[in-house]
């Protein structure tokens, strides 16, 4: 996978997807310096039998991007959260249209409680991810 700075990437774990902007790629160490921007929780956990697929998760995210008021997903704006230095091979390249639509909705209609909890939610995601992917 070829990643360039400013590209939108994501990590998935359980029922969450973390979007991040690639800041720098360190090819020699296979690392990516990434800036978390958006955390989505409440997706079907594709590791569970009968929970759906990656495509069904993407369809749910696309539906939320088209009509954010009707979604049951929890969206967290991660502006101001710490950057990550993460193994490059764990990232996937994002479909940015949905990402930008959701991020704009969060910026237009901020939820104060979600913004206060964004650092905690990111920390919980990272901890849980590394418990599963040592």
């Amino acid at each position: 996978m070829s990643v360039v700075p400013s590209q939108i990437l994501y990590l998935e774990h359980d029922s969450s997807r973390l979007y991040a902007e690639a800041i720098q790629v360190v090819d020699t160490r296979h690392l990516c310096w990434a800036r978390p921007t958006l955390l989505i929780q409440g997706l079907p956990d594709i590791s569970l039998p009968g929970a759906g697929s990656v495509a069904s998760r993407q369809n749910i995210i696309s539906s939320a991007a088209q009509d954010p008021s009707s979604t049951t997903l929890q969206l967290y704006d991660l502006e101001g959260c710490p950057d990550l230095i993460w193994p490059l091979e764990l990232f996937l390249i994002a479909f940015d249209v949905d990402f930008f639509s959701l991020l704009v909705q969060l910026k237009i209609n901020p939820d104060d409680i979600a913004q206060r909890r964004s650092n905690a939610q990111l920390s919980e995601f990272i901890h849980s991810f590394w418990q599963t992917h040592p």
Side-chain angles (χ1 to χ4, degrees), residues 5-70:
S6 298
Q7 195 163 18
I8 303 301
L9 309 171
Y10 69 90
L11 297 166
E12 285 195 324
H13 176 64
D14 291 339
S15 62
S16 301
R17 181 180 283 188
L18 171 66
Y19 286 97
E21 176 188 359
I23 303 300
Q24 184 176 6
V25 176
V26 184
D27 287 323
T28 56
R29 299 196 60 205
H30 306 287
L31 294 173
C32 181
W33 169 15
R35 179 156 298 140
T37 53
L38 175 66
L39 179 64
I40 299 175
Q41 293 183 325
L43 293 165
D45 184 350
I46 57 175
S47 66
L48 300 174
S53 66
V54 173
S56 67
R57 288 176 83 143
Q58 187 57 49
N59 288 338
I60 292 168
I61 291 169
S62 294
S63 294
Q66 291 172 12
D67 186 10
S69 62
S70 69

